[in-house]
Amino acid sequence: MSVHTEDTLDLADIQRGVLSGRPTPYAATYLAFRIDDRGDGRELMRRASTAVTSAADTVSPLGETWVSVAVTCRGMEALGVPRASLDTFAWEFRQGMAARAEALGDVGASSPEHWEAPLGSPDLHVVLTAVAPDPERLEAAIDHARPAYDRLAGVTATWRQDCYALPTETEHFGYRDGVSHPAVQGSGIPGSNQLEVPLKAGEFVLGHRDEMGGVQNPRPTVLGRNGSYAVFRKLHQNVAAFRRYLKDNSTGPEDEELIAAKIMGRWRSGAPLALAPQHDDPALGADPHRRNTFLYGADDPTGYTTPGGSHIRRANPRDASVAGEVRLHRMIRRGAVYGPPLPEGVLQDDGADRGLMFAFIGAHLGRQFEFVQTQWMNDGVFFGANDAKDPVTGAHDGSAGYTIPRRPLRRRLAPLPRFVVTRGGEYCFLPSLTALRWLGDLHD
């Protein structure tokens, strides 16, 4: 089997949603479909191969606008992909996210029995994502993609989630989002941390060598190569509870912002504690070339500046000394806000559904998304904090608080409620453009 090297990464065959960042600000829509007729499902794949945007198209005819198409394992079955081929895909993908719920911390209010239909169910087959700088161009992108699924009686639209990004680039808790992303060898797309060595393409694109020198490529090669896995999750944010927690545990407005920074690892402007340890620095937070260029190991090994338990340090410990090789667990993360903002200063929930649609991109579901979710976000052993969970997204039950390292005494905050509740999600495969055509040409 021939293997593409990082020097020959075929961007024209890779969906743009795998490697390209999103415009700022942007609007996005997720559309889910069920395949009821195999022939129509294959026609959907054929049409999708001409509607999706490749990673080589840095600017589409519509501007910073593109469409990507992902398929679940049940969707692959509905298309008639042979079992011998499906068995070569990641076992987590074949199981589906709902089956992995307990391991992922999706319990209680986050358990699949409470998820939005059809998320996590056998009826979720295809996810189409459209991204654009504004709602007007987003509708144009959807119109552009509509011929791919319109007038196919055997393909049923089952779910839609509209998202957006504020001009401030913040999410509902008030933090600047989308700050960190890795550089991928052969992509030509720079990472946000100039101190991080680009990762091998095989960490994110199937059919290429990864950091361990291996090649993950489901069979046949035409189906797997230049594809990737996508993890979609709809996460509800309890903004009022988060605001009350900060207020109840602080001595005043300045202390409230400090606690918010110690929990996240960044001030809400996006300025990292690593570079602005005492006070917020909005100019730094707004500078994409500076706000993510830092490490932990040499300057802050004990976490006195950026706590080891903070959200961003858990998600990416960088060069810090932790259990596990950090580069093997890197992912491409993208979030999009949904639902109306809770008015500033309001401390009581208004009943509206608001949160984030998250997409995690990688070639290794187990050692990337699942490892980070189970070992780094919902456990603390890797940095010596026993079973402490991530303060922002962790599966809290109100029994454990948050500890901020400081001299001479640590600061212990009250027990944490669960601020983020899973509303649903799924593991998907992002086929290459060649693979979309292959799926469209399948025969029984």
Side-chain angles (χ1 to χ4, degrees), residues 86-119:
L86 288 175
D87 286 346
T88 65
F89 281 78
W91 67 270
E92 298 92 349
F93 170 72
R94 286 179 276 139
Q95 276 204 321
M97 188 178 291
R100 307 289 301 143
E102 187 170 351
L104 296 174
D106 290 331
V107 296
S110 290
S111 66
E113 65 192 88
H114 302 302
W115 288 4
E116 287 183 19
L119 302 181

Side-chain angles (χ1 to χ4, degrees), residues 204-240:
F204 309 102
V205 184
L206 297 166
H208 299 265
R209 294 206 179 278
D210 60 24
E211 288 288 311
M212 299 180 72
V215 178
Q216 302 297 314
N217 197 27
R219 296 191 297 270
T221 300
V222 66
L223 175 60
R225 191 180 63 212
N226 290 332
S228 189
Y229 292 112
V231 180
F232 293 113
R233 282 169 76 79
K234 181 175 181 179
L235 304 175
H236 170 77
Q237 294 175 270
N238 191 335
V239 179

Side-chain angles (χ1 to χ4, degrees), residues 36-379:
D36 300 310
D37 177 83
R38 183 166 291 176
D40 282 351
R42 292 169 177 173
E43 178 62 22
L44 172 63
M45 295 296 104
R46 282 193 291 272
R47 295 180 184 181
S49 70
T50 65
V52 301
T53 314
S54 81
D57 298 323
T58 54
V59 179
S60 76
L62 293 172
E64 286 288 325
T65 303
W66 69 88
V67 171
S68 64
V69 173
V71 187
T72 68
C73 187
R74 304 291 87 78
M76 302 272 271
E77 292 173 351
L79 290 168
V81 175
R83 173 51 57 184
S85 176
L86 288 175
D87 286 346
T88 65
F89 281 78
W91 67 270
E92 298 92 349
F93 170 72
R94 286 179 276 139
Q95 276 204 321
M97 188 178 291
R100 307 289 301 143
E102 187 170 351
L104 296 174
D106 290 331
V107 296
S110 290
S111 66
E113 65 192 88
H114 302 302
W115 288 4
E116 287 183 19
L119 302 181
S121 80
D123 289 335
L124 182 63
H125 293 164
V126 178
V127 178
L128 183 150
T129 307
V131 177
D134 51 58
E136 291 74 27
R137 278 177 281 187
L138 177 64
E139 285 305 315
I142 295 172
D143 287 342
H144 177 69
R146 188 165 282 114
Y149 58 85
D150 208 16
R151 292 188 293 278
L152 288 176
V155 175
T156 304
T158 57
W159 182 80
R160 174 171 178 160
Q161 182 63 65
D162 293 321
C163 306
Y164 61 93
L166 296 170
T168 56
E169 301 178 61
T170 61
E171 44 71 59
H172 286 301
F173 290 152
Y175 297 94
R176 185 184 293 272
D177 199 20
V179 171
S180 178
H181 57 272
V184 182
Q185 285 188 2
S187 71
I189 301 170
S192 58
N193 185 353
Q194 300 172 50
L195 301 176
E196 181 180 52
V197 177
L199 284 100
K200 299 289 187 183
E203 290 299 307
F204 309 102
V205 184
L206 297 166
H208 299 265
R209 294 206 179 278
D210 60 24
E211 288 288 311
M212 299 180 72
V215 178
Q216 302 297 314
N217 197 27
R219 296 191 297 270
T221 300
V222 66
L223 175 60
R225 191 180 63 212
N226 290 332
S228 189
Y229 292 112
V231 180
F232 293 113
R233 282 169 76 79
K234 181 175 181 179
L235 304 175
H236 170 77
Q237 294 175 270
N238 191 335
V239 179
F242 187 75
R243 289 178 181 175
R244 288 197 304 271
Y245 184 85
L246 294 178
K247 190 176 184 65
D248 291 346
N249 282 273
S250 65
T251 59
E254 287 189 11
D255 189 46
E256 186 174 330
E257 288 306 307
L258 177 62
I259 292 174
K262 290 292 186 179
I263 282 176
M264 180 60 66
R266 290 184 185 274
W267 300 91
R268 297 209 230 204
S269 71
L273 285 169
L275 301 178
Q278 301 299 327
H279 302 284
D280 194 3
D281 184 345
L284 171 62
D287 188 340
H289 301 293
R290 298 171 53 222
R291 66 191 181 198
N292 200 48
T293 301
F294 62 90
L295 299 172
Y296 299 121
D299 299 326
D300 187 28
T302 55
Y304 282 113
T305 301
T306 307
S310 63
H311 179 72
I312 70 164
R313 190 155 174 169
R314 282 174 173 269
N316 178 19
R318 303 184 187 227
D319 65 329
S321 178
V322 298
E325 173 52 55
V326 173
R327 289 177 65 83
L328 300 183
H329 311 299
R330 295 286 277 128
M331 294 176 286
I332 295 173
R333 295 176 175 83
R334 300 197 182 97
V337 173
Y338 74 85
L342 185 67
E344 202 66 39
V346 174
L347 299 177
Q348 297 300 319
D349 186 52
D350 60 358
D353 186 20
R354 58 176 59 87
L356 285 168
M357 276 295 299
F358 254 118
F360 301 87
I361 309 295
H364 302 269
L365 286 174
R367 70 168 166 83
Q368 290 173 328
F369 172 73
E370 289 217 350
F371 180 93
V372 172
Q373 184 71 12
T374 60
Q375 303 302 310
W376 287 357
M377 308 308 278
N378 279 323
D379 207 337

